[in-house]
């Protein structure tokens, strides 16, 4: 999941030093992936009733450097994705869902990880579905998909070749 978040943020191609809104109540990987990608996490307090990010605080945290938001679905409960999506559209923000703990979870009849520009699900040993390690990055954007294919394979479109497009 951590590597999936990192690759997703690299694929987003956000300017270095950009701010990304991240819940303060999450696993360390959410923020560390942002730092690894050259972004500055700006933490959002949790809603005490849901433990997800408190959407009432979002407007107060946006600056001219804010480029993304990373809702994290905790304890198998989705963050309020319709509110987050509307907020992101108003501010032209990239949305990366950290759905590491939300495999199979739906919000308003849509699966977690499919609302944002990209979504990441983890298959680590303590997740609902496990392969011991690993994860998946979800998108319906062809350009993001193609960038991810190159990033996951050291800039090569195909294994077994030494031609690195990027």
């Amino acid at each position: 999941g951590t590597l999936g978040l990192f690759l997703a943020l690299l694929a987003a191609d956000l300017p270095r030093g950009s701010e990304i809104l991240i819940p303060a109540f999450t696993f360390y990987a959410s923020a560390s992936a942002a730092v690894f990608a050259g972004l500055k996490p700006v933490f959002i307090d949790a809603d005490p009733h849901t433990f997800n990010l408190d959407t009432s605080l979002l407007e107060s945290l946006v600056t001219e450097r804010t480029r993304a938001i990373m809702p994290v679905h905790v304890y198998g409960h989705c963050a309020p994705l319709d509110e987050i999506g509307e907020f992101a559209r108003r501010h032209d923000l990239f949305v990366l869902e950290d759905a590491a703990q939300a495999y199979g979870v739906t919000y308003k009849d849509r699966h977690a990880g499919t609302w944002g520009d990209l979504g990441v699900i983890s298959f680590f040993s303590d997740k609902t579905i496990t392969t011991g390690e690993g994860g998946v990055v979800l998108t319906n954007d062809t350009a993001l998909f193609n960038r991810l294919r190159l990033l996951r394979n050291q800039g090569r479109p195909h294994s077994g070749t030494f031609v690195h497009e990027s």
Side-chain angles (χ1 to χ4, degrees):
T2 307
L3 184 56
L5 292 171
F6 173 61
L7 291 176
L9 289 169
L10 289 181
D13 199 27
L14 301 169
R16 289 189 67 74
S18 295
E19 295 174 349
I20 180 169
L21 303 175
I22 297 176
F25 187 77
T26 184
F27 184 65
Y28 181 75
S30 306
S32 62
V35 171
F36 296 159
L39 305 176
K40 178 185 175 193
V42 174
F43 294 106
I44 309 161
D45 284 335
D47 179 317
H49 302 289
T50 67
F51 299 105
N52 282 300
L53 62 85
D54 185 342
T55 56
S56 71
L57 302 174
L58 290 174
E59 290 292 341
S60 66
L61 298 171
V62 174
T63 72
E64 67 280 349
R65 295 181 52 162
T66 308
R67 296 290 179 271
I69 183 168
M70 183 190 296
V72 179
H73 311 303
V74 295
Y75 302 136
H77 297 282
C78 283
L81 294 165
D82 48 356
E83 293 177 49
I84 293 166
E86 174 56 34
F87 169 78
R89 280 187 290 283
R90 276 196 324 272
H91 294 283
D92 194 27
L93 301 179
F94 185 87
V95 179
L96 170 57
E97 286 180 73
D98 182 340
Q101 297 183 27
Y103 180 78
V105 175
T106 58
Y107 180 79
K108 297 190 177 181
D109 296 324
R110 280 181 60 188
H111 283 277
T114 66
W115 286 73
D117 297 291
L118 290 167
V120 176
I121 296 172
S122 174
F123 298 130
F124 187 67
S125 62
D126 62 355
K127 299 302 186 267
T128 306
I129 301 293
T130 181
T131 59
E133 275 288 348
V136 63
V137 180
L138 307 169
T139 188
N140 63 3
D141 182 300
T142 303
L144 287 171
F145 172 76
N146 289 331
R147 283 199 296 273
L148 283 163
R149 284 186 65 219
L150 289 173
L151 287 167
R152 63 123 177 130
N153 198 29
Q154 291 79 41
R156 301 177 297 175
H158 307 287
S159 294
T161 178
F162 294 101
V163 176
H164 299 261
E165 284 185 20
S166 64

